[in-house]
Amino acid sequence: MRSIRLRTKFLLALLAVSVGLTTATLFAVRLSVRSKVRDSLGQDLRTSVKTYETFEAQRDESLTRSAELIANLPNVRALMTTHDLATIQDASSGILKLSGADLMVFADRTGKVSAVQPESLRANAGQVQEMLSRSLERGESKDWWFSGGHLYQALMQPIEFGTAPHNTTIGFLVVGHDVGAKSAEAFGEIAASEVVFRCGDTIVGSTLDAGQEREFSRTGTGNAEHPGDSAQEIQLGPERYLVSTVNLAGNSDVVVTLSVLKSFDKATAFLSSLNRTLVLLGLLTVLAGSLLGFLTADNFTRPLAKLVGGVKALEAGDYDHPLENSSGDEVGVVTAAFTRLRESLQKGQQEQVKLEARLRQAHKMEAIGRLAGGVAHDFNNLLTIIRGHSDLLADRPNADDFQKRSAEQIQKASNRAVAMTRQLLAFSRMQVLQPSVLDLNAVISEMGKMLPRLIGEHIEFTFIPKTKLATVKADPGQIEQVLMNLAVNARDAMPDGGKLVVHTRNVSLNAAEAAKRPAMGPGEYVLISVADTGQGMDEDTKARIFEPFFTTKEVGKGTGLGLATVYGIVKQSGGFIWVESAPGKGTTFEIYLPQASGKATEVSAEPAARIESRGTETILIVEDEPGVRELASQFLKASGYSVLEASDGVKALEVAEKHPGHIDLLLSDMVMPRMGGQELVQRLRTTRTGMKFILMSGYSEYNGTEFRQTDSPFHRLGKPFSMASLIGKVREALEPQLVKQSRPTSKTK
């Protein structure tokens, strides 16, 4: 089907539509005609029933006049006065012939039957007597009698002697008509229908054959109350009929119904001929339409064939395949749309290449970041040992000058290594931050006092603050580090001097604006723009500037961690950094930080008071790195503390359970085998009331959110630590009220 030409598909579709429409039309016509025929037959049935009712009324009137005439005959009166049953029976035969009725009964004035005609009913005289008595008791002048398999419409007429008002009833005359097969045939010819008379469930006369009568009896056709009832469809053998039934007996005890039937199949027989005619016309129409469509389809499909050529060319990667579009019809519209789509696909493909490049860059940065963070984490433990033991060597009272100078060199080298690991952690977004609500204008203004000396007098520094700048939530020391690294980077890009401009403003980005800076989302931001007039960068350099250890400077003049640190700090603060640069046109770094609510933290420059560093408390040290654990134990013991040691959380619980005395403080690493620091803190809080807690880590990703919260149930100590920082954190945990009194409200670095 896929290889069939469009013109052939068009013709097949036209043929299918034509056949479908023709079939639907025939079906609709058939349904409509059948409905019309049904309505017409129903109307005919109602008319036939009304005709019979009219005929019955006329016959009743004729029968009534006949009964009145017979009852007033002198010989009839004389006959009834004889009271001789044989005489009355013999004379009734001649009177029956004279009246033209089918039933005649004479009874005395008490209602006792004297004579019955025809002779065939004399055997049922008892039944006749019963029916007469019932009719007289009801006071009905007209009634329906059923006897001997015959149904009669009977009329009772009193026989009176004398003149009114002195007349006397001397007997009763009953005359009637037999409603049976002859009546059904006569009325069926008049109504041009099939007719069935029933008394109860017994058919007393019909124009149906014996088989149809049996099936009609099984249909259970109901008795209509009036001739306007809807016609009912029944099946008699292979033929369908519409039947209308009326009750003729009224309120009589005998149920007498007339059913008029018309053949629905005979009435709709002409539909077969009509269908054949319509089908023939439909086929002729389809053939003529198909021929015309075949002749004209090529004119319509030729532009589509050219469009298909363009699609195939696009599939092969040819975006410049020529397309003709000289018409303004639907094909022309589709061709124009395809041209726009092709241009859009070409642009999208180019964008996809860029996105894939950015994605690869992001994955590479993420992989490098995790590697750098892991190396920095492990290196922090080594630096903790190196710095700690160098502090111990430097503090030895009997050390000579050579030993002290060696210790000082070790300390300087370890401090430089600590700075590098912090930069690696900042790039990998694993550095432990202490965020607060900041006014960036205040932070940059304070930095502006130092930056001119850092970048040199040959570079003009300008800060343009935005009034009513929104606050942000970030670590103030890290923000200062970002500005310092960007200033140093700008200084190195302007060896012959230039301008460095920093300005801030509030930015509201909608979805369209955010899409211009991939990875950013719409929202409210504070923008820090750092622009220089330096050498600028090409695209290849821009793609790698945030990679650690990548630098364009000469060997020995840069570590390649400055911009990597900026990238990590901005990302860890929830912001975005964007670079605009071109060779010879300078560079602009745009830093977007989410706006925060609340008032900025005030900065106090009041110096901290000296805190007593010695103590007598008992401290439990839990550290899986033996060198770090041994060093921390030496620091604490040298400061007068009693120390308990454990290599992980499980062993720490055992030590705490066996120790009989009070344990004042837990100093534990955050990540350890079998049981980490946070779980250990939760377990000990329930068994050791009053115990204080300090958790150590230099790897923020492994610490979880709780490590960075200010309201957590433990204090935090970053690695690597010195003896002074360790002892100070211990005293802060054990005597928080003293530390708070001795500290400024906040600090900028």
Side-chain angles (χ1 to χ4, degrees):
M1 186 66 181
R2 295 181 178 179
S3 61
I4 298 177
R5 296 183 61 185
L6 183 60
R7 180 173 63 182
T8 305
K9 291 182 179 180
F10 173 75
L11 293 176
L12 291 175
L14 178 62
L15 180 62
V17 170
S18 300
V19 171
L21 290 177
T22 302
T23 303
T25 302
L26 292 176
F27 184 72
V29 169
R30 183 178 182 85
L31 289 180
S32 177
V33 172
R34 286 172 64 88
S35 177
K36 295 294 185 182
V37 170
R38 182 184 295 274
D39 293 342
S40 177
L41 290 179
Q43 182 63 37
D44 289 346
L45 290 174
R46 289 190 292 272
T47 302
S48 298
V49 171
K50 290 181 179 180
T51 300
Y52 181 80
E53 289 179 339
T54 302
F55 169 74
E56 183 183 15
Q58 293 175 353
R59 189 171 61 178
D60 287 347
E61 184 179 355
S62 174
L63 190 62
T64 301
R65 289 197 301 268
S66 176
E68 290 177 352
L69 290 174
I70 294 173
N72 290 325
L73 289 175
N75 59 336
V76 172
R77 292 178 179 176
L79 183 64
M80 292 304 298
T81 59
T82 63
H83 302 291
D84 184 3
L85 297 181
T87 303
I88 297 174
Q89 180 65 40
D90 292 339
S92 62
S93 175
I95 298 173
L96 177 64
K97 294 178 181 179
L98 178 65
S99 66
D102 298 317
L103 170 68
M104 179 169 289
V105 177
F106 286 95
D108 60 17
R109 61 182 180 181
T110 63
K112 184 178 180 181
V113 175
S114 302
V116 177
Q117 291 294 341
E119 293 289 339
S120 58
L121 285 180
R122 294 186 64 183
N124 299 322
Q127 187 178 13
V128 172
Q129 178 64 62
E130 181 181 352
M131 290 188 292
L132 176 61
S133 299
R134 186 180 64 245
S135 299
L136 292 176
E137 288 176 1
R138 294 174 55 203
E140 296 287 347
S141 61
K142 298 178 182 179
D143 205 350
W144 289 89
W145 290 4
F146 182 70
S147 178
H150 291 271
L151 176 67
Y152 298 96
Q153 186 177 13
L155 185 143
M156 277 69 70
Q157 177 67 36
I159 303 174
E160 297 176 345
F161 182 77
T163 59
H166 304 289
N167 54 338
T168 302
T169 300
I170 59 176
F172 293 95
L173 170 67
V174 179
V175 293
H177 287 293
D178 184 3
V179 179
K182 292 182 178 180
S183 297
E185 291 178 1
F187 182 66
E189 292 180 358
I190 296 173
S193 306
E194 303 293 339
V195 176
V196 177
F197 287 101
R198 287 185 297 174
C199 180
D201 293 331
T202 303
I203 297 177
V204 296
S206 75
T207 57
L208 301 175
D209 58 35
Q212 289 177 326
E213 285 184 358
R214 287 192 296 270
E215 291 188 16
F216 182 80
S217 298
R218 289 196 296 267
T219 59
T221 306
N223 298 324
E225 294 295 334
H226 53 80
D229 287 345
S230 300
Q232 180 182 355
E233 183 175 329
I234 63 173
Q235 184 84 25
L236 299 180
E239 196 169 358
R240 289 175 298 170
Y241 288 86
L242 290 181
V243 56
S244 181
T245 302
V246 63
N247 186 5
L248 301 177
N251 296 326
S252 175
D253 294 338
V254 180
V255 179
V256 179
T257 59
L258 166 66
S259 297
V260 183
L261 301 87
K262 283 188 176 291
S263 175
F264 187 70
D265 289 340
K266 291 178 180 178
T268 57
F270 72 97
L271 283 179
S272 299
S273 176
L274 178 62
N275 284 341
R276 288 192 294 270
T277 302
L278 292 176
V279 168
L280 180 60
L281 291 176
L283 290 176
L284 292 176
T285 303
V286 169
L287 292 175
S290 300
L291 179 60
L292 181 61
F294 180 81
L295 296 176
T296 58
D298 186 63
N299 293 329
F300 293 101
T301 58
R302 189 181 299 114
L304 289 177
K306 296 179 179 178
L307 182 59
V308 170
V311 172
K312 292 181 178 179
L314 178 61
E315 184 179 4
D318 183 6
Y319 290 91
D320 299 321
H321 182 81
L323 293 173
E324 296 182 5
N325 186 16
S326 58
S327 62
D329 56 9
E330 289 82 355
V331 177
V333 173
V334 172
T335 303
F338 175 75
T339 302
R340 294 191 298 269
L341 175 63
R342 187 170 64 177
E343 294 173 353
S344 177
L345 287 175
Q346 186 176 16
K347 183 178 179 181
Q349 188 179 47
Q350 295 171 352
E351 290 293 332
Q352 183 180 3
V353 172
K354 295 180 181 178
L355 287 175
E356 289 176 351
R358 284 197 291 266
L359 182 60
R360 286 194 297 270
Q361 180 70 11
H363 287 170
K364 181 173 67 175
M365 296 287 284
E366 183 70 20
I368 294 174
R370 296 189 67 85
L371 175 62
V375 171
H377 172 258
D378 294 336
F379 199 44
N380 268 336
N381 285 332
L382 300 178
L383 288 176
T384 300
I385 299 172
I386 295 172
R387 289 186 64 185
H389 284 284
S390 66
D391 289 343
L392 292 175
L393 290 174
D395 292 340
R396 292 179 60 184
N398 56 350
D400 55 22
D401 293 340
F402 175 77
Q403 291 174 337
K404 290 183 178 180
R405 284 195 300 272
S406 297
E408 289 175 358
Q409 291 300 320
I410 295 174
Q411 288 176 331
K412 289 180 180 179
S414 63
N415 287 337
R416 292 181 60 190
V418 167
M420 292 185 65
T421 57
R422 287 177 178 171
Q423 287 180 315
L424 287 174
L425 288 172
F427 163 73
S428 56
R429 289 169 276 173
M430 299 174 185
Q431 192 174 23
V432 179
L433 301 181
Q434 296 181 352
S436 59
V437 180
L438 301 178
D439 179 2
L440 289 179
N441 284 342
V443 174
I444 299 174
S445 296
E446 188 68 23
M447 285 287 296
K449 301 175 183 178
M450 180 186 66
L451 289 180
R453 295 193 298 271
L454 179 66
I455 61 179
E457 297 180 353
H458 63 296
I459 297 177
E460 179 184 349
F461 173 73
T462 304
F463 174 45
I464 307 175
K466 174 68 176 180
T467 59
K468 298 182 179 180
L469 188 69
T471 58
V472 299
K473 191 170 185 179
D475 188 319
Q478 298 300 320
I479 295 299
E480 292 176 353
Q481 183 70 35
V482 168
L483 294 173
M484 185 179 300
N485 288 357
L486 291 179
V488 171
N489 189 74
R491 179 198 64 189
D492 295 340
M494 298 182 291
D496 298 328
K499 293 182 179 182
L500 176 63
V501 180
V502 178
H503 76 270
T504 58
R505 61 188 176 95
N506 297 322
V507 176
S508 178
L509 295 182
N510 54 29
E513 290 294 327
K516 298 178 182 178
R517 298 165 176 81
M520 284 191 67
E524 305 293 329
Y525 297 91
V526 175
L527 169 63
I528 307 174
S529 175
V530 181
D532 64 59
T533 58
Q535 300 169 352
M537 297 176 285
D538 56 24
E539 292 297 327
D540 293 338
T541 303
K542 281 175 58 178
R544 301 188 60 192
I545 56 173
F546 295 124
E547 295 180 10
F549 307 114
F550 173 76
T551 180
T552 58
K553 301 173 185 177
E554 298 177 4
V555 178
K557 290 190 177 182
T559 62
L561 290 174
L563 292 180
T565 302
V566 171
Y567 176 85
I569 292 173
V570 172
K571 287 292 184 180
Q572 194 173 8
S573 300
F576 303 90
I577 185 168
W578 191 259
V579 184
E580 295 289 347
S581 183
K585 296 184 179 180
T587 302
T588 300
F589 288 89
E590 294 180 346
I591 299 172
Y592 296 85
L593 296 176
Q595 295 184 11
S597 58
K599 189 176 180 181
T601 304
E602 296 182 1
V603 178
S604 173
E606 182 182 353
R610 180 178 178 82
I611 302 175
E612 180 60 41
S613 61
R614 298 191 62 80
T616 58
E617 292 85 354
T618 299
I619 299 176
L620 173 58
I621 300 177
V622 187
E623 169 63 60
D624 61 317
E625 181 66 38
V628 177
R629 185 173 68 250
E630 179 183 352
L631 178 65
S633 178
Q634 292 182 15
F635 283 168
L636 293 173
K637 289 178 179 179
S639 298
Y641 296 97
S642 298
V643 178
L644 303 174
E645 298 184 20
S647 59
D648 56 47
V650 176
K651 291 185 178 180
L653 291 177
E654 297 175 357
V655 172
E657 183 178 359
K658 294 178 180 178
H659 184 71
H662 184 71
I663 300 178
D664 300 281
L665 176 68
L666 171 70
L667 176 64
S668 174
D669 193 14
M670 195 72 178
V671 180
M672 295 178 294
R674 297 203 292 176
M675 182 183 295
Q678 291 190 35
E679 184 179 355
L680 178 61
V681 168
Q682 294 176 0
R683 298 280 291 274
L684 289 177
R685 287 178 68 187
T686 60
T687 59
R688 291 278 181 171
T689 58
M691 179 183 286
K692 307 297 182 181
F693 305 97
I694 299 176
L695 293 183
M696 303 178 292
S697 180
Y699 198 10
S700 177
E701 183 180 0
Y702 292 154
N703 297 335
T705 305
E706 191 172 326
F707 189 81
R708 298 188 292 273
Q709 294 177 347
T710 58
D711 57 350
S712 57
F714 50 80
H715 293 264
R716 294 157 295 279
L717 176 64
K719 292 181 181 179
F721 54 80
S722 63
M723 181 175 179
S725 61
L726 173 62
I727 301 303
K729 184 60 69 174
V730 169
R731 295 317 307 167
E732 179 182 350
L734 293 174
E735 301 180 15
Q737 68 280 1
L738 177 60
V739 176
K740 290 181 180 179
Q741 293 173 2
S742 64
R743 285 190 169 184
T745 58
S746 181
K747 60 182 181 178
T748 59
K749 185 174 180 180

